[in-house]
Each structure stands twice: as C-alpha cells, then as structure tokens.
Amino acid sequence: MISVKILIYGVGNMGKLFRDIFYGKGYYVRGYDIDQMKRDTNSISGFDVIFVCTPMYALEEALEHIKREAKKEALLVDVSSVKKVSVPLFEESGFDFLSIHPMLGGDSEISLSNVIVVRESGREEEKVILEELRKCGAVLSRLDVEEHDRKMAEIQGIAHFALVSMADFLRYGKEELKYASPIFTVLYKLASRIINQNWEMYFQIQKNAEDVREEYLRRAMELHEKMKDRESFREIFESLRKIYTDYESSTIILESYKATKKAESIEELRGLIKSIDSLILRLIERRIDAARQIARIKMERGEPIELKDVEEEKLWEVMSKTTLNPVKLKEIFEGIMSLAKEEEYKVAGVKYTIAVLGPQGSFSEEMALKLVGSRVPLRYCSTTDEIIKLVESGEVDYGLVPIENSVNGTVLPVIDALLNHDVEVFGEAKLEVNHCLVAKRKIELKEIKTIYSHPQAVAQCMGFINNYLPSVAIRYTTSTSDAARMLDDYSAAIMSENAARFYRLHVLRKGIQDLKGRNITRFYLIRRRSGRSEGKITSLFFGVEDKPGALKDVLEVFHKKGFNLRKLESRPAGTGLGDYVFFVEVEAPLREEDLLDLKQVTTFYKVVGVFDEVKRMSTL
C-alpha cells in the first residue's frame, strides 16, 4: 500500500461513505466541512488526494477554496452526478483529477454497486483508489462525459421522474399504506427517499434529463393508447418479456418492505419480527448460494476455501456499523460464515481440512501443496501453536508443523506445544528449501539497492549476497507477504519459487541458498488422538528423577532392545530450575511391553505418535 493522505471535502452521506472505506483500509483520512461539527481538520493543505463531495451547486466555491489552500500536486476526485457540469470546473481548476460517479446513496453499501469512471489522469494515487474500490466489491465501468450524461438522463432522470410524478399525482400519506400492495409500498418508500433529499441535486439531474423526459412522456401517451386494446396490451408484455428477464429473487425486494413497516401493537410487533425472521432466512440462503459459487471459482483457481484474515476483516466491517453487542453479533456472523464454509467444502468435494503456517507462498504451503495438490482444503495460521490448538479442538482435521531444519535445527516451540496439547503425530514429510531472488520486474543485480526477507532466509543465502550483492541494504520482514508488499523497482526479495509465482514476481536467480541439496525442513502431520498407531518411528516425551544416571537408565532400555534414537532433545519442564523433559524419536514402533520397561525408569512418558513418511495425503 503506497502512503496516501486523503482529505474528504464535504462530510455528508457520500463523504462519510468514502471516509469510512479508506479509514477502514488503514489510510490516513481526515474530513473537512463547512459544518464545523463534521470536521476533524481545519486545514486542507498537505493531502495527496482530495475527494470533493460537496453538492453540485457548491462545487465552484469548494474548488476555489481548494485552489487557494491545497497543495498543487494533489489529486482531486469528482463524485458529481452530472459530468457536463462538474468536469469543466475541475478542468479549469488546474489540478489532476479523477472523475467517478458512485451509483449509490451515501447510506448504502458499496459492495456490488456500480462506480462509473468518467475521466482518469493516470496518477498512481488514482490506481490505488480504484483498486481499493474494486476490492470493496464495487463494479467499475467506464463512460466518457457525453455518454455518461446521456445514460444518466435515462437511468436516473426517468426513474426519479416516474417516482416523483407518482407521488405528485397520488399525494398519499403514509397512513394510506394500510391498503398498499408490496410493489406500491416499495415505490412509495423510494419516492419518499428522493423527495426528502437535497432538491437542488435532483434539479440538476432533471435538467440533464429534459430531452429524454420529453421523449418519455410522448412514448408514455402512446403506451396509454395501446393499453386500451387487449391484443396490443398482450403484444407489449410479450415484447418486453424478451428483454426484462432478470426477475430472480425479486420476492426478496418485495418482502423486505415489511421490515420497514411501523408496528405498534404487540400483535403487529410479533408479525414484524416474523416477517424479518423470514427475510433473514431468505438472505442467508442467498448468501450460502453465493458461497457455493465462490467455492467453484476457488476450485478453478486452486485457492483456499478458508482465509482467516479475510473473515476477520469482514467481521470487523460488520461490527463497525452497529452499536449492538459486538460479542453476540460476532457469534451470529461466525455461525453464518461457518455454515457457508461447510457448503463451500461440500461443493469443492473436500473431505478434510489441513492447517498450515501462512501466509500463502510460505514453505509450509509449498509442502502442503506437494501433499494435497490444491490450496482448497488449506487453512492458514500465523503460529504453530495456533495450528496445534485448531487440531486439538477439532476445528480442522489435520495440521502441518515444521519439526526441524537441517541448517537451523529443531523448532522448539513445536516440541513444547506437542507436550502441552492432546494431539498425535501420524506422519512426517520433507521439503528441500530452495530460495530464489525475485523482483517486481526483470532487473540487473547491479541495480538492486535493497533486499527484503525473513532473517532465516537471509542467513541461509549470505554467501550469494556477499558474492553478488555486497553493497545492498538488507531489510528483515516477518513474512513472505510483507517482503512482496515492500518491493519497489529497485529492490528484491528472497522467497520460494512457489511464493514468487503466487505474488506474480520475476525470478532473477534460483537456488541461491548456501547449502544446495542439504537445506531440508522436516514436517510433522498431526491429528486429534485416534488410538491408531501405524509406522516405523515413535516420538515421545519422558521425564526422569533428578539423580545421577537417570537418563542413562532410559537410554539403556532402548540400547538393549536395539532401538536407534534419531533424535534426543531436552526441554525445561517448567516446574523448577534444573527440571527437564526429554523428547526422543525412536526408529521402532514401541509396543506395550516396550512401554512397560520404559515406565520403570521414568517419572512419566507421553507417546506423541507412531508414523512413517507421507508422500501424498490422498493415500491416507
């Protein structure tokens, strides 16, 4: 994300919409308004982007103010409805500007709303704005000024005119809605919405639609005459039926009006709740259907069904829009998300889920893809402890955790977590770690000024760096995704080839690690306790008394049975200074009699698993 300071000039409904969008995305955002109660800044200088969200009648005055006080390099954003009015004013301002028309009200949700792009300047900030709107679910389209106003004369002008003319003709008060049909009530509510907004904005929209409105009235009179005749009436319906085919789920629109009805008596209030519950059910069904379609797309792309960080962002957005109890509301939406994921997994034909260390593009993901063949069943976690807890709770079926690396040794947090949680190891898998030097573009090594990567990856490639990039600055990151995000045209990152493909980066050099063919990471596959034990390797913990020869007695048991220990680690027991627990991997499947012998010379033992190497999860 490039650093962009954003000013919202005019904090009405539309201004608040854009302020909330970009503030929620982590941008520096401030609001300026003639109403001092709506301001959170008194200065409009120093901003990179200025959204001009004033009414059209106040546009000229706002631009004069911006010309006086804003920095000259600022990018302006025009959100006006009638572009033949606004675009000339922005052109005269001397600023670069982006002209868009958000086809929604300021109190609406931008997801699935049309945003028409009318004029672009080519600025980088502009690309950021449009990309963020796209990520929010907005549907971007492009029209030039003339075509935009022509289309708006039809889409906005005629629709608004029809609603206002209906309201003007009937002049019904809301008490007369007790006789109304669902269709009439929806039209009444929409007419009321328009009439109770700024009349000058709608005057400009209707000025733009004058010619189209004349044509509409002429055609309406022709239609009026045709509808007197039965056959003509049938022909009109049949001809229009070929065009207007999108009536699916229109019942939801008509049923939703009930949720807006005023209820006073307890019987009416109970009826209102019943109607709302029915509507909620229909909407959940629609949400689940959308989730099923997403699952099909994810299957085609090989993307994971479950991305926890995306879900958390969705939950945060929901919580920020209400004052209801956030804990209870979070439970409700997590339940809906869980139901959706269940259906997505059914569509994808996924029989199990597997938790791995994220983010996407990590070496853990690369190992998982070798085992599973697809990202679809993967769940990305930020720590190995999180993976083990998810497996223990049954929230995922399997976990993949690194147990040791041939260069950096044992992954001690994994050993500690295996001791403290009730899971079992049922397999192991090995991955040769191959590091690549990658960049946003094809770049000569001599042009690289900075390298970004995890400290461990940098340490494993220091020979290459010292030989070929001795003068570069090294910047450490916490993850592969951070390294990819920080790249500019004169920097590079160290990551796997798999990660480079995922982040669409150019591979400059492959296999830049110092120990080629010898940098191996071994992973454990874990699951909940099952009672099954199959394999040739046993991993277990044990404790011994604090006395001379205690450890030797245990090792003697293995020696007498001819069992080789391929791993032996000591860990603090956490019970006092000098108390230790030992972790071993025995090259044998320990039987009951072996464990009885072990019990005689230990204070406790815990078998973590009996396993073999696994090449593919499909064989399980």
Side-chain angles (χ1 to χ4, degrees):
M1 181 175 76
I2 68 170
S3 178
V4 178
K5 295 176 72 174
I6 298 173
L7 175 70
I8 307 299
Y9 193 107
V11 194
N13 281 344
M14 188 60 70
K16 283 164 59 180
L17 172 74
F18 285 115
R19 183 183 63 185
D20 292 346
I21 287 172
F22 287 95
Y23 182 79
K25 294 285 185 179
Y27 290 88
Y28 180 91
V29 184
R30 293 291 182 269
Y32 178 85
D33 197 277
I34 56 171
D35 182 350
Q36 294 190 13
M37 297 298 292
K38 294 180 179 180
R39 291 183 195 174
D40 49 26
T41 182
N42 290 317
S43 172
I44 68 170
S45 64
F47 291 91
D48 305 300
V49 175
I50 301 176
F51 278 80
V52 186
C53 300
T54 61
M56 278 189 287
Y57 65 82
L59 199 53
E60 198 166 356
E61 184 180 345
L63 289 172
E64 285 299 323
H65 182 203
I66 290 168
K67 280 196 286 186
R68 287 194 309 271
E69 297 190 20
K71 68 178 186 180
K72 303 307 177 188
E73 302 80 21
L75 173 75
L76 307 189
V77 182
D78 164 33
V79 299
S80 304
S81 300
V82 183
K83 296 304 181 186
K84 65 186 177 186
V85 173
S86 66
V87 167
L89 293 174
F90 277 87
E91 287 174 336
E92 291 168 10
S93 73
F95 286 89
D96 289 339
F97 69 96
L98 166 68
S99 184
I100 60 175
H101 184 185
M103 300 291 288
L104 71 158
D107 55 353
S108 302
E109 176 60 57
I110 197 166
S111 297
L112 292 185
S113 297
N114 293 322
V115 175
I116 302 171
V117 182
V118 178
R119 181 72 67 84
E120 296 173 82
S121 66
R123 292 269 294 270
E124 282 301 314
E125 298 94 331
E126 190 172 77
K127 295 174 185 176
V128 169
I129 291 162
L130 295 177
E131 179 61 15
E132 292 293 3
L133 294 178
R134 187 192 65 77
K135 286 179 182 177
C136 287
V139 180
L140 302 182
S141 56
R142 285 169 169 78
L143 291 172
D144 62 30
V145 172
E146 186 177 338
E147 183 67 5
H148 168 272
D149 284 2
R150 188 184 70 79
K151 288 282 187 188
M152 291 308 105
E154 297 171 348
I155 293 169
Q156 287 186 309
I158 296 305
H160 297 166
F161 175 69
L163 290 169
V164 174
S165 62
M166 180 194 81
D168 180 59
F169 176 73
L170 295 174
R171 295 182 177 267
Y172 275 8
K174 61 184 177 182
E175 67 279 355
E176 293 176 278
L177 286 179
K178 61 186 176 183
Y179 311 116
S181 68
I183 288 177
F184 179 85
T185 307
V186 169
L187 293 175
Y188 177 95
K189 292 277 185 182
L190 293 175
S192 298
R193 177 184 174 89
I194 290 170
I195 291 164
N196 284 279
Q197 294 191 58
N198 185 289
W199 67 268
E200 291 193 69
M201 176 179 71
Y202 285 96
F203 174 71
Q204 292 286 353
I205 290 170
Q206 288 303 317
K207 284 294 289 182
N208 180 55
E210 280 182 355
D211 293 341
V212 175
R213 200 166 63 243
E214 291 282 351
E215 177 64 14
Y216 171 76
L217 290 170
R218 186 186 65 78
R219 292 278 294 277
M221 288 307 300
E222 290 179 3
L223 183 63
H224 168 67
E225 292 300 322
K226 288 180 180 178
M227 292 179 82
K228 294 177 181 178
D229 179 71
R230 185 176 185 277
E231 185 58 26
S232 296
F233 194 101
R234 182 187 65 80
E235 288 176 0
I236 291 165
F237 259 66
E238 289 187 352
S239 64
L240 292 175
R241 193 173 285 158
K242 295 173 183 176
I243 302 169
Y244 292 89
T245 58
D246 187 14
Y247 56 86
E248 184 184 354
S249 300
S250 58
T251 305
I252 292 177
I253 298 172
L254 296 179
E255 285 295 299
S256 63
Y257 91 90
K258 293 179 182 177
T260 71
K261 292 188 73 172
K262 186 176 181 181
E264 295 178 348
S265 70
I266 191 166
E267 291 80 15
E268 288 177 340
L269 288 166
R270 284 171 175 162
L272 176 63
I273 289 172
K274 186 176 180 180
S275 296
I276 291 172
D277 287 346
S278 177
L279 180 61
I280 289 171
L281 179 60
R282 287 176 182 268
L283 292 174
I284 289 174
E285 288 172 343
R286 283 284 292 160
R287 192 191 190 288
I288 299 301
D289 187 52
R292 293 190 188 106
Q293 293 178 58
I294 287 172
R296 296 184 186 99
I297 295 170
K298 286 179 176 178
M299 286 172 63
E300 292 171 5
R301 296 179 178 177
E303 294 179 358
I305 295 291
E306 198 166 348
L307 286 173
K308 201 66 178 175
D309 55 342
V310 174
E311 291 177 8
E312 290 296 331
E313 186 177 335
K314 288 179 183 175
L315 286 170
W316 183 87
E317 286 179 6
V318 172
M319 301 302 110
S320 67
K321 294 175 181 176
T322 181
T323 57
L324 294 175
N325 184 324
V327 176
K328 294 292 185 184
L329 202 61
K330 189 169 184 280
E331 288 176 5
I332 292 169
F333 276 89
E334 282 179 334
I336 294 171
M337 287 178 176
S338 177
L339 181 62
K341 280 184 289 188
E342 185 178 310
E343 291 299 314
E344 285 187 71
Y345 280 124
K346 285 180 185 177
V347 169
V350 173
K351 297 176 182 175
Y352 57 80
T353 53
I354 178 167
V356 301
L357 270 177
Q360 293 184 60
S362 67
F363 284 110
S364 290
E365 185 204 56
E366 186 174 340
M367 182 74 261
L369 289 175
K370 288 181 184 294
L371 292 168
V372 179
S374 170
R375 289 188 178 92
V376 173
L378 303 186
R379 165 97 171 250
Y380 295 88
C381 300
S382 55
T383 65
T384 53
D385 203 53
E386 182 186 355
I387 294 172
I388 291 170
K389 286 178 180 177
L390 288 173
V391 173
E392 184 180 38
S393 68
E395 196 170 331
V396 297
D397 299 293
Y398 304 124
L400 180 72
V401 290
I403 187 66
E404 70 173 340
N405 177 265
S406 58
V407 175
N408 298 293
T410 303
V411 184
L412 298 176
V414 171
I415 289 183
D416 294 340
L418 289 173
L419 174 63
N420 296 314
H421 294 280
D422 193 27
V423 296
E424 70 178 9
V425 178
F426 69 93
E428 68 175 3
K430 296 170 186 173
L431 176 74
E432 181 180 349
V433 176
N434 285 297
H435 291 299
C436 297
L437 187 70
V438 307
K440 286 176 67 176
R441 63 186 180 95
K442 288 184 178 179
I443 182 175
E444 296 293 329
L445 295 187
K446 62 184 179 183
E447 296 180 76
I448 297 173
K449 296 178 181 178
T450 310
I451 287 178
Y452 295 99
S453 196
H454 190 277
Q456 198 173 82
V458 172
Q460 292 171 4
C461 301
M462 280 310 298
F464 177 87
I465 293 170
N466 289 334
N467 285 330
Y468 296 97
L469 299 162
S471 302
V472 300
I474 296 173
R475 299 286 182 266
Y476 295 118
T477 62
T478 57
S479 68
T480 307
S481 59
D482 283 343
R485 200 161 38 234
M486 292 177 180
L487 288 175
D488 60 26
D489 287 342
Y490 296 96
S491 59
I494 297 172
M495 62 181 66
S496 70
E497 187 174 357
N498 177 57
R501 282 198 300 268
F502 178 79
Y503 292 107
R504 295 180 174 85
L505 300 172
H506 291 281
V507 176
L508 305 178
R509 295 287 190 280
K510 293 182 182 181
I512 65 170
Q513 67 277 5
D514 298 337
L515 298 173
K516 293 179 174 58
R518 290 185 287 161
N519 189 352
I520 309 293
T521 297
R522 186 162 63 94
F523 294 84
Y524 271 169
L525 282 158
I526 60 172
R527 66 189 174 201
R528 295 180 85 181
R529 288 279 175 185
S530 66
R532 304 194 304 272
S533 61
E534 302 167 2
K536 302 181 182 67
I537 308 295
T538 303
S539 60
L540 72 151
F541 293 94
F542 65 84
V544 296
E545 292 182 24
D546 186 11
K547 66 178 185 179
L551 178 58
K552 177 181 176 295
D553 292 341
V554 178
L555 298 179
E556 192 66 32
V557 170
F558 296 129
H559 174 68
K560 285 180 180 178
K561 294 177 179 291
F563 296 159
N564 185 50
L565 300 186
R566 71 175 189 179
K567 190 173 188 64
L568 173 62
E569 295 274 351
S570 64
R571 298 296 297 143
T575 55
L577 195 63
D579 292 342
Y580 287 91
V581 170
F582 295 90
F583 175 75
V584 295
E585 288 183 341
V586 185
E587 290 183 342
L590 297 187
R591 301 181 297 275
E592 193 64 38
E593 63 217 56
D594 302 321
L595 296 174
L596 286 173
D597 292 341
L598 195 61
K599 188 176 182 181
Q600 303 302 314
V601 292
T602 61
T603 56
F604 87 95
Y605 69 85
K606 175 185 178 182
V607 176
V608 179
V610 181
F611 56 88
D612 286 320
E613 185 171 355
V614 175
K615 299 291 186 183
R616 293 284 294 181
M617 289 287 283
S618 58
T619 61
L620 297 175

